[in-house]
Amino acid sequence: MISAILFLLVLTFLFLGVPVAVSLGLSSLIIIIFFSSDSVSSVALQLFKASQNYTLLAIPFFVLASAFMSTGGVARRIIRFAIASVGHFKGGLAMASVLACMMFAALSGSSPATVVAIGTIAIAGMRQVGYTRDFSAGIIANAGTLGILIPPSIVMVVYAAATDVSVGRMFLAGVVPGIVAGLMLMIAIYVMARVKNLPAEEWKGFGEIVAGGKEAGWGLFLIIIILGGIYGGVFTPTEAAAVAAVYAFAVALFVYRDMGPMKGQPWIAEDASPSARIGFSGTVYAVAFFFVFMILSFFATADMDGVTLQGRTLVGLVLSLGVMFAYIIWRGRPHGDVSILGALRDSLPVWGRNLGLTARNFFPAFFAEDTRKVMVEASRTTIMLMFIIVNALLFAHVLTSERIPQTITDAMIGAGFTWFTFLIAVNLLLLLGGQFMEPSGLLLIVAPVVFPIAMELGVDPVHLGIIMVVNMEIGMITPPIGLNLFVTSGITGMSLLQVVKAALPFVAVLFAFLILVTYVPMLSTWLPYSLMGPEIVTR
Amino acid sequence: MALLWPSLALVVLVLLLFLAERRYPAAVARMEENFIASLLAIITLVSFVQVIARYGFNSGWGGALEFTRIVFAWMILFGMSYGVKNGVHLGVDAFVKLLPSRLFRLAALFGAFATFAYAFLLLYAGWLAWVGVDISSNWRQSGAIGYWTFMFDRGTGLDDLRYPVWMQDTFGLQERVQRWVAYLMLPIGLALLAFRSAQGFMQIWRGERELLIAGHEAEDLVAENRDALKE
């Protein structure tokens, strides 16, 4: 009875255009006031406590990291790397767009941001070499949904907070399915490209892959910090997210120099001599190698005895010096007159200029207008998400205190559901719900109801999470309310109906992927469980 | 009557904001933005420094975790009203947009009213007793204002967060930071939310604004890049 009133209130509010957060919060509040002995003070306090959730504290950091990485410059570097890697196949540019979306998804937890950042560059590029507009828009709309499946993913953090599954395992669980989904899309493109005889880019050689990788690598290292830190047991996910946010800030302002006071300042002046250029690159690689080595060895050896900081530093120094000499000798040979010492000496002024530049602009970078804009943008997104999440937690609390999940669990098991039919029901429920609700809010409402049933039926908690995320993905590209459809139609100027039609063939691929993920648990559970051991659910 | 002074203080705060905004709308908007952005920056920097201090130097600040969590809550609670003002909050607009224009306006007004009711009920639900609802008549249990006042009277401290020693000495403060300091943003945030939604209600009433909500989360992003690829 109470549950019927609760759901009726929420749905009525939602469809009347009340904000999602308020629909959930106000309905819960009404139920508590009229049917429960809890005081309103305790609800208000719960609002505060829910806003303090430690797991959810990772969300603003991931949003911030993704905001710093969502500039056009990062997207362009990633696309260059992607084209160099797979561009030479038939339909290569389209496959490269999918690959670029996958890599961008690893920097940003948001699908619409992926569509805008990669889409604005990639669709224009595809049009230039003769792909149809529908084909290119359809690919981007679909590949953009990978944003929430490939870690770091905000939806996964929310699932973890709602069900007490570990965030680290969820992130690792998203890796294999994310790659499989990307590969499936690429294979579909390759087949279509063979049939339609779409153009291929020329093969520019491994040098271009390395050059592209070097540029994109600064950004992509973000995902290593996050996954490496969590997997190595060094950081909690929230700490990893905080480090990632600061790293993204540093890369965007001080390394890529896409924004802020040093915007557009090149690292090496145009007229530098080959000797200075080689010497500078060599030392940069040495320094970068040293830090990467230190960070990775820190993650890898965190719980090993007998490995000291001094020991690691010594090994790191020797190896990075080796890298430096090898690079200078290798690159210096064609120029003949470049000696190691000469190159190092010539690189000093370049270092001096860049260090001076960084030091002068260090504090201005924190207060630059560009930085402020990104911070405000990230705060807005965080507030929008968290207001919904906090109220959804309130709603979930009312659900559990009215013992609604238990009632539904008993009914479902009494009706003879097995894990197989149950997962179909979950898929249908989420696909339907995904049409009307923002993913993290929907997840928080559905998870408390579905999770106990799943545990009762022996479904793996991490696997269930991945199923839910993939369902949300599909919800983003199916009408009437598919977020990626809106965004794609917005940036291309196509009508919504045109985008829906354009996306349809690839939606079919993602549906096949959903079925695969739902009935092959190994896909999700293999990586996290072999690295971190199984998830233990205590109830 | 225990709630008279805190309630009055909230009313004064809202009035001041209202007046300041009439005079300097751009400055107030920028101040709001800077406030939430600074809170986000503080959380990020404190967490980052704490990670470095813990893993790099085996030290750290014991109150860091509690501090960041409180600032995070402040950001959300303050941000609620900011979100209403700037139309950031999500809602389902697909159905109301199908309605004839008079009903659409009615639904939009209802959306703003519901948000106001949410904030007001959480601030003070005691008035429900006057209309005959069976609700506890104890002011401590009547909502955010009541709870805050209760905490203010009690002066209970937080778990880990302490005043710096020089502050304890100079101002004769107790050792732990009082809970009411942390909870301060709860009534303030809700009062601002009530104010902004009432303001939104008036704007819709006068026809200056269409809806309180955003249809989807990427509206700004799309607006910025609208037709970037149109041919």
Side-chain angles (χ1 to χ4, degrees):
Chain A
M1 170 63 190
I2 292 179
S3 56
I5 298 175
L6 183 61
F7 281 107
L8 200 69
L9 275 175
V10 172
L11 289 179
T12 318
F13 285 152
L14 270 183
F15 291 142
L16 280 177
V18 177
V20 174
V22 175
S23 306
L24 295 169
L26 188 57
S27 321
S28 319
L29 195 59
I30 290 175
I31 294 295
I32 288 174
I33 289 176
F34 287 94
F35 298 101
S36 148
S37 53
D38 287 357
S39 71
V40 180
S41 285
S42 71
V43 182
L45 182 63
Q46 217 172 13
L47 195 68
F48 193 87
K49 293 258 143 115
S51 322
Q52 280 191 302
N53 188 308
Y54 181 65
T55 309
L56 295 177
L57 187 54
I59 291 177
F61 301 146
F62 283 134
V63 170
L64 190 58
S66 128
F68 277 116
M69 284 290 152
S70 294
T71 60
V74 180
R76 200 167 300 115
R77 290 179 184 94
I78 286 178
I79 289 174
R80 176 182 170 199
F81 181 42
I83 292 176
S85 312
V86 296
H88 56 284
F89 291 108
K90 265 199 184 307
L93 212 46
M95 289 161 78
S97 307
V98 174
L99 187 62
C101 281
M102 288 165 69
M103 289 194 276
F104 198 81
L107 303 183
S108 127
S110 147
S111 289
T114 309
V115 171
V116 171
I118 300 291
T120 44
I121 302 169
I123 295 179
M126 284 192 271
R127 292 289 292 138
Q128 262 171 17
V129 294
Y131 291 81
T132 63
R133 188 174 64 165
D134 287 10
F135 187 73
S136 15
I139 287 165
I140 294 292
N142 278 276
T145 63
L146 293 174
I148 59 170
L149 180 60
I150 294 180
S153 150
I154 289 165
V155 181
M156 287 183 192
V157 176
V158 171
Y159 176 79
T163 57
D164 282 332
V165 171
S166 94
V167 180
R169 287 194 182 84
M170 279 305 294
F171 277 5
L172 285 174
V175 174
V176 176
I179 293 172
V180 170
L183 283 179
M184 282 173 74
L185 283 175
M186 284 199 241
I187 291 168
I189 291 170
Y190 187 70
V191 172
M192 287 167 108
R194 282 268 147 175
V195 174
K196 290 188 185 171
N197 198 21
L198 293 173
E201 300 290 293
E202 59 170 320
W203 167 246
K204 288 182 188 151
F206 284 104
E208 173 70 9
I209 298 188
V210 173
K214 242 162 36 188
E215 281 222 304
W218 286 103
L220 292 175
F221 191 64
L222 188 81
I223 188 69
I224 311 242
I225 295 185
I226 295 171
L227 286 187
I230 298 175
Y231 156 60
V234 176
F235 298 151
T236 65
T238 309
E239 286 170 341
V243 174
V246 175
Y247 178 79
F249 163 77
V251 167
L253 277 103
F254 298 118
V255 179
Y256 283 161
R257 299 178 179 173
D258 283 338
M259 54 169 92
M262 287 191 281
K263 186 170 181 174
Q265 299 259 22
W267 275 86
I268 309 177
E270 293 282 331
D271 55 351
S273 69
S275 159
R277 206 171 271 274
I278 292 167
F280 181 69
S281 300
T283 40
V284 167
Y285 293 144
V287 172
F289 179 86
F290 178 72
F291 280 109
V292 170
F293 175 82
M294 289 307 283
I295 291 173
L296 291 186
S297 65
F298 177 51
F299 291 159
T301 62
D303 39 47
M304 264 183 231
D305 292 329
V307 182
T308 60
L309 184 65
Q310 286 89 341
R312 286 194 297 124
T313 316
L314 202 65
V315 175
L317 273 178
V318 170
L319 286 176
S320 50
L321 281 177
V323 166
M324 186 174 78
F325 291 135
Y327 178 83
I328 295 178
I329 293 170
W330 171 55
R331 291 312 289 259
R333 199 171 297 152
H335 292 286
D337 57 342
V338 176
S339 70
I340 292 181
L341 283 178
L344 289 182
R345 194 187 57 231
D346 290 346
S347 75
L348 285 180
V350 184
W351 271 105
R353 192 181 75 88
N354 282 302
L355 289 180
L357 208 58
T358 308
R360 262 202 310 285
N361 290 305
F362 185 74
F363 286 107
F366 283 86
F367 300 99
E369 181 60 24
D370 282 345
T371 315
R372 194 190 83 97
K373 257 193 214 141
V374 171
M375 297 296 296
V376 171
E377 199 47 54
S379 316
R380 282 169 83 114
T381 312
T382 307
I383 286 164
M384 182 270 291
L385 284 171
M386 286 306 300
F387 190 36
I388 296 178
I389 290 171
V390 165
N391 282 286
L393 284 173
L394 202 64
F395 181 82
H397 172 79
V398 175
L399 278 185
T400 12
S401 65
E402 298 299 332
R403 300 183 55 81
I404 293 168
Q406 283 90 330
T407 321
I408 299 179
T409 309
D410 295 344
M412 293 276 278
I413 289 173
F417 270 93
T418 62
W419 69 275
F420 194 88
T421 45
F422 165 72
L423 288 182
I424 296 179
V426 171
N427 284 336
L428 290 178
L429 178 68
L430 289 170
L431 286 177
L432 194 71
Q435 307 304 321
F436 307 109
M437 279 278 288
E438 192 274 333
S440 32
L442 176 66
L443 219 142
L444 277 171
I445 299 171
V446 173
V449 178
V450 167
F451 193 74
I453 311 176
M455 294 308 103
E456 201 72 37
L457 293 171
V459 180
D460 185 273
V462 170
H463 178 215
L464 180 72
I466 297 295
I467 295 175
M468 288 191 161
V469 173
V470 176
N471 273 297
M472 308 284 164
E473 262 192 271
I474 293 179
M476 290 184 154
I477 37 165
T478 42
I481 306 181
L483 185 53
N484 277 13
L485 297 175
F486 287 131
V487 178
T488 313
S489 125
I491 61 170
T492 56
M494 292 161 74
S495 77
L496 204 57
L497 197 64
Q498 279 174 313
V499 179
V500 172
K501 271 190 196 150
L504 208 57
F506 304 104
V507 176
V509 175
L510 283 190
F511 256 107
F513 171 66
L514 173 65
I515 295 171
L516 188 72
V517 161
T518 308
Y519 293 109
V520 186
M522 272 289 282
L523 220 51
S524 329
T525 55
W526 172 74
L527 186 66
Y529 289 0
S530 49
L531 288 182
M532 295 177 78
E535 177 78 40
I536 292 150
V537 185
T538 44
R539 286 200 298 138
Chain B
M1 275 303 101
L3 304 180
L4 182 64
W5 289 112
S7 316
L8 266 182
L10 285 180
V11 171
V12 169
L13 182 84
V14 167
L15 262 178
L16 281 179
L17 179 70
F18 177 71
L19 292 175
E21 201 166 33
R22 288 201 84 161
R23 190 89 178 71
Y24 313 102
V28 171
R30 205 178 155 86
M31 240 172 57
E32 278 179 322
E33 282 186 354
N34 286 349
F35 185 64
I36 50 169
S38 315
L39 292 180
L40 180 58
I42 290 171
I43 309 173
T44 315
L45 287 178
V46 170
S47 306
F48 178 73
V49 170
Q50 180 72 2
V51 170
I52 299 295
R54 259 249 301 291
Y55 297 110
F57 305 96
N58 253 330
S59 69
W61 168 34
L65 182 60
E66 192 166 38
F67 177 75
T68 46
R69 288 170 57 180
I70 289 169
V71 177
F72 184 39
W74 275 46
M75 182 181 156
I76 299 165
L77 293 170
F78 181 82
M80 303 186 297
S81 63
Y82 172 84
V84 169
K85 182 184 168 193
N86 293 283
V88 171
H89 294 311
L90 292 186
V92 181
D93 61 354
F95 291 89
V96 286
K97 283 210 166 140
L98 297 178
L99 296 173
S101 68
R102 280 196 45 197
L103 286 178
F104 171 77
R105 227 168 78 93
L106 220 58
L109 285 173
F110 179 73
F113 171 74
T115 312
F116 177 79
Y118 166 83
F120 198 70
L121 274 174
L122 279 173
L123 270 177
Y124 181 67
W127 56 272
L128 282 172
W130 307 331
V131 289
V133 179
D134 176 27
I135 195 166
S136 160
S137 56
N138 186 335
W139 61 265
R140 289 174 193 85
Q141 300 187 350
S142 64
I145 302 180
Y147 189 75
W148 183 83
T149 314
F150 172 56
M151 273 298 147
F152 184 77
D153 292 345
R154 282 263 299 262
T156 323
L158 288 161
D159 295 332
D160 299 319
L161 209 55
R162 283 145 215 270
Y163 286 113
V165 176
W166 63 266
M167 267 171 87
Q168 292 177 29
D169 294 343
T170 338
F171 303 109
L173 292 170
Q174 65 187 67
E175 188 192 356
R176 287 160 196 271
V177 177
Q178 292 93 339
R179 271 170 204 262
W180 64 260
V181 178
Y183 292 154
L184 198 56
M185 197 44 94
L186 190 58
I188 292 180
L190 286 169
L192 291 178
L193 178 64
F195 168 58
R196 289 295 180 206
S197 39
Q199 214 176 23
F201 187 89
M202 290 313 295
Q203 282 165 345
I204 297 169
W205 181 268
R206 289 196 298 259
E208 293 160 10
R209 187 174 176 176
E210 215 183 10
L211 278 171
L212 206 61
I213 52 170
H216 58 81
E217 67 179 279
E219 271 187 352
D220 288 349
L221 200 63
V222 171
E224 251 171 57
N225 296 282
R226 174 152 304 281
D227 297 339
L229 297 166
K230 188 160 172 101
E231 19 200 289

